[in-house]
Amino acid sequence: MNVFQIAFRSIRQRFVPSTLTGLSVALGVMLMVAVLVTYSVVNNAFQQRSIDYDLVVGKQGGEYQLVLSTIYRLETPPAPIPFRYYQVLKNRPSLFYEGVPAPEAAVPIVMGDTTQEGNFPIVGTTHEYFTNNYAPDRSFKIKGTGFTDSFDAIIGSHVAEQNGWDIGSTFQILHGGVNAHIHEEKFTIVGILQRTGTANDRTAFVQLSGFYSIADHNDTSLVEAKRREQEFFGTDYDRIVAESEKFPDTDVSGASIPTARKAVTAILVKYPRKMLTVPSTLSGIMKKGHRAQAVNPNAVMRQLMNLIVGNVALAIVVMTVLVIIVSGIGIFVSIYNSMSDRRREIGIMRALGAQRQTVFSIIMAESILLCFGGGLLGVLLGHGLVFLGAPIVEAKTGLAVDPLTFHSAELYLLPALLVLASLVGFVPALTAYRTDVSRALVE
């Protein structure tokens, strides 16, 4: 019988206190693994180009609000900008910004409403949204068809699952803002997106023309609508109106509704790879103007992760490290306190021929088994916790969390626990090593 087998039997004899001390290590490791894995998934989703567009254009204001609402649907959308601005930016941006070429893609986004059932965000857009990749080298796959009628809708996989909707189902939408009410118009589902692991899974997309055709969405008087446009474009207003009327306006954008009454929440812009510098140039030019802002979504999210989320995750990891250290101290106290009860047992072992080094090794083995065993259990519980929490995170954020995702820091976790076990087991083992045999047997 080797020292680990003897140590294991000793732990079994003190089952309750040993289990509690090992469990305290497991809980600390569980929290650390859960935080590391969750942070790793969120970090990958937000930082590794989870979107295949170069810029998100919207009303000047908060960059985080613009990106979080347009890409991740985690924020209330910013104030809208005129539809005419989208037309010019898509067809001839040089009217605003001299020398800037037309983009490869400019997709309008309107937001603010939700589904009546499930409260999922509504995004009004054109079919171009689905012909572009939602992430680099990742294209949409749709069960059904694309938009053909104004009141067609394409829904994400999570929306379909949660609401039990399929092709042909109809739904109404809840008007956002202060005067929340249900719109009378009904949208028919013509397509269901295959799971993407993004916010698109929990979004219901409706045809842009249908969104504009909703009675409450175009009740602003034409005079008031033109006044707002004029405020936005300033002295350029007449020139922009005259030029924009030359641009093609297809029925997908609600051609029957006066352009002045239409607005967009954001515009997703993409340039060809050979024009790598154009997005940053356009973003820089817009900062000098007053019409709108163009932000790189990946840069904004990287900044957000570094400034806020990363620091919060680091703080939690530091706390869990402290929990594990406290658990290690608990193991030290548990083993050390048991030494007085085990003095006679150690004396007998020594009398039967056990060497001092053997007794020392047995106590060290106990400490290692408690720390290492607790650590292994903690790793399993940590991934189990992520497994249980993954559906909740996905439902709230649309981010697919793989419980089998492995963080590189986990490689250092178990070796660190071995070091901790050696430190906390050394003093009790040394006490056992120095036990006087004759005195222990007499006691």
Side-chain angles (χ1 to χ4, degrees):
M1 186 176 290
N2 60 41
V3 293
F4 279 100
Q5 290 175 314
I6 298 173
F8 183 70
R9 288 195 172 190
S10 176
I11 291 173
R12 287 179 57 187
Q13 287 176 349
R14 295 177 290 106
F15 180 75
V16 174
S18 298
T19 301
L20 291 177
T21 51
L23 191 59
S24 63
V25 176
L27 292 176
V29 172
M30 177 191 74
L31 288 174
M32 179 178 284
V33 169
V35 170
L36 289 174
V37 171
T38 304
Y39 175 72
S40 177
V41 171
V42 173
N43 189 48
N44 287 339
F46 284 152
Q47 289 201 16
Q48 294 183 359
R49 289 190 61 81
S50 57
I51 177 174
D52 200 29
Y53 290 96
D54 299 307
L55 296 171
V56 181
V57 178
K59 186 95 171 181
Q60 279 203 338
E63 294 183 346
Y64 295 140
Q65 182 187 16
L66 180 61
V67 175
L68 288 174
S69 63
T70 306
I71 307 300
Y72 301 100
R73 284 124 217 178
L74 296 175
E75 257 280 7
T76 55
I81 54 179
F83 183 81
R84 212 183 298 276
Y85 185 84
Y86 152 71
Q87 284 183 308
V88 175
L89 194 67
K90 177 181 178 66
N91 296 287
R92 194 179 160 192
S94 58
L95 278 177
F96 294 142
Y97 313 109
E98 187 176 354
V100 174
E104 177 183 331
V107 181
I109 297 290
V110 289
M111 297 181 66
D113 293 351
T114 60
T115 58
Q116 180 191 5
E117 189 176 347
N119 206 33
F120 293 104
I122 295 288
V123 170
T125 187
T126 63
H127 192 70
E128 187 181 2
Y129 184 87
F130 305 103
T131 58
N132 294 319
N133 290 347
Y134 65 88
D137 302 321
R138 295 180 186 177
S139 58
F140 285 107
K141 292 181 174 56
I142 303 176
K143 171 190 169 186
T145 65
F147 293 143
T148 56
D149 184 79
S150 291
F151 289 95
D152 283 348
I154 296 175
I155 60 174
S157 58
H158 187 72
V159 179
E161 292 170 5
Q162 290 298 307
N163 287 354
W165 291 346
D166 205 342
I167 305 294
S169 300
T170 60
F171 66 91
Q172 290 174 276
I173 62 179
L174 185 65
H175 186 72
V178 178
N179 301 317
H181 60 275
I182 299 171
H183 292 299
E184 294 181 356
E185 294 82 357
K186 286 187 178 181
F187 286 85
T188 302
I189 298 171
V190 296
I192 299 175
L193 297 178
Q194 195 176 82
R195 187 171 181 270
T196 62
T198 67
N200 295 305
D201 294 343
R202 57 180 182 83
T203 301
F205 300 89
V206 300
Q207 175 82 295
L208 189 63
S209 57
F211 190 92
Y212 288 140
S213 299
I214 293 174
D216 295 345
H217 286 179
N218 57 44
D219 57 355
T220 305
S221 71
L222 193 56
V223 174
E224 174 63 16
K226 287 183 176 179
R227 186 191 64 77
R228 289 190 308 200
E229 271 196 336
Q230 197 161 14
E231 284 182 358
F232 184 84
F233 292 116
T235 55
D236 291 337
Y237 179 65
D238 292 335
R239 182 171 67 101
I240 296 302
V241 171
E243 292 292 335
S244 67
E245 288 178 352
K246 302 175 184 175
F247 300 138
D249 190 6
T250 63
D251 57 349
V252 295
S253 62
S256 60
I257 299 169
T259 303
R261 280 182 171 172
K262 296 185 287 188
V264 296
T265 307
I267 307 167
L268 299 174
V269 177
K270 181 181 179 181
Y271 276 92
R273 295 193 182 280
K274 61 183 180 182
M275 298 183 181
L276 284 176
T277 59
V278 174
S280 59
T281 302
L282 179 58
S283 178
I285 294 174
M286 284 193 183
K287 288 179 181 177
K288 299 174 183 175
H290 59 275
R291 296 188 179 99
Q293 63 175 342
V295 298
N296 181 323
N298 294 294
V300 169
M301 294 313 300
R302 187 163 51 246
Q303 188 180 31
L304 178 66
M305 293 296 294
N306 291 338
L307 289 179
I308 302 176
V309 182
N311 288 332
V312 171
L314 179 62
I316 296 175
V317 168
V318 169
M319 289 176 64
T320 54
V321 168
L322 293 176
V323 169
I324 293 173
I325 291 175
V326 170
S327 301
I329 295 173
I331 291 175
F332 166 78
V333 172
S334 174
I335 297 177
Y336 190 82
N337 286 342
S338 72
M339 294 308 298
S340 58
D341 300 331
R342 300 165 66 187
R343 194 178 299 278
R344 183 176 177 78
E345 174 189 333
I346 293 172
I348 293 173
M349 289 173 60
R350 290 288 314 282
L352 292 175
Q355 300 294 318
R356 288 179 182 273
Q357 295 83 350
T358 303
V359 176
F360 181 90
S361 300
I362 291 172
I363 302 302
M364 288 295 291
E366 283 188 33
S367 179
I368 290 172
L369 285 174
L370 287 172
C371 277
F372 198 75
L376 280 177
L377 179 62
V379 170
L380 294 175
L381 289 175
H383 284 277
L385 187 63
V386 174
F387 179 80
L388 293 175
I392 299 173
V393 174
E394 186 172 354
K396 296 292 183 184
T397 66
L399 299 178
V401 180
D402 183 0
L404 298 180
T405 298
F406 186 81
H407 194 284
S408 57
E410 291 182 61
L411 290 173
Y412 304 100
L413 202 52
L414 294 181
L417 286 173
L418 284 177
V419 173
L420 179 66
S422 301
L423 291 175
V424 301
F426 182 77
V427 172
L430 190 62
T431 303
Y433 179 88
R434 290 175 175 173
T435 298
D436 185 275
V437 178
S438 56
R439 183 177 295 178
L441 291 175
V442 170
E443 292 176 351

